[in-house]
Amino acid sequence: MEKTYEIGLWSGAGYCVSEFEVTAFSEDHALEVLSERLIREGLTGLYETDEEHEKTREWLGITEDEELEGNYGWCYVDGTMEGAPYPIWVRTENMKIVEKK
């Protein structure tokens, strides 16, 4: 059964969180649905592509395996089954996902 989720994402700068409402089956699915929207609407400040995120890992001095084992503040989202042209990375810092009643 689909539910409505409110998702807040932080760009990494400033004090504002961008909020979105999506309909999905779960929190993970909500992020996948949102990823398509972020890409389609050109909201590039709220996500990184794989190529961009590789540069972030280089800057942090970590490997992909180290990132997956630790908590470095990023979440991999593959929304390609929801129409996104490619997977993205979003910040988990200041992220919120709330099921609306």
Side-chain angles (χ1 to χ4, degrees):
M1 182 169 138
E2 288 191 330
K3 303 170 187 171
T4 302
Y5 293 90
E6 186 175 289
I7 301 175
L9 296 178
W10 184 53
S11 67
Y15 297 102
C16 295
V17 174
S18 297
E19 295 192 0
F20 304 89
E21 192 172 287
V22 298
T23 303
F25 297 109
S26 67
E27 290 181 0
D28 288 339
H29 184 235
L31 283 172
E32 293 167 3
V33 171
L34 180 59
S35 72
E36 185 278 332
R37 181 176 170 189
L38 294 174
I39 295 168
R40 177 174 34 86
E41 293 182 3
L43 300 173
T44 57
L46 296 175
Y47 69 88
E48 291 186 350
T49 63
D50 275 336
E51 295 80 19
E52 292 167 335
H53 196 66
E54 179 60 36
K55 291 178 184 173
T56 297
R57 273 197 293 273
E58 288 175 14
W59 182 78
L60 291 171
I62 60 171
T63 66
E64 184 174 359
D65 288 338
E66 289 172 325
E67 178 177 35
L68 294 173
E69 292 172 4
N71 182 8
Y72 288 93
W74 291 90
C75 175
Y76 179 79
V77 181
D78 186 347
T80 55
M81 295 296 287
E82 298 303 322
Y86 47 83
I88 62 172
W89 292 83
V90 295
R91 291 179 185 276
T92 56
E93 186 176 359
N94 298 319
M95 177 195 284
K96 77 170 186 174
I97 304 176
V98 178
E99 180 184 339
K100 292 186 80 174
K101 303 290 180 187

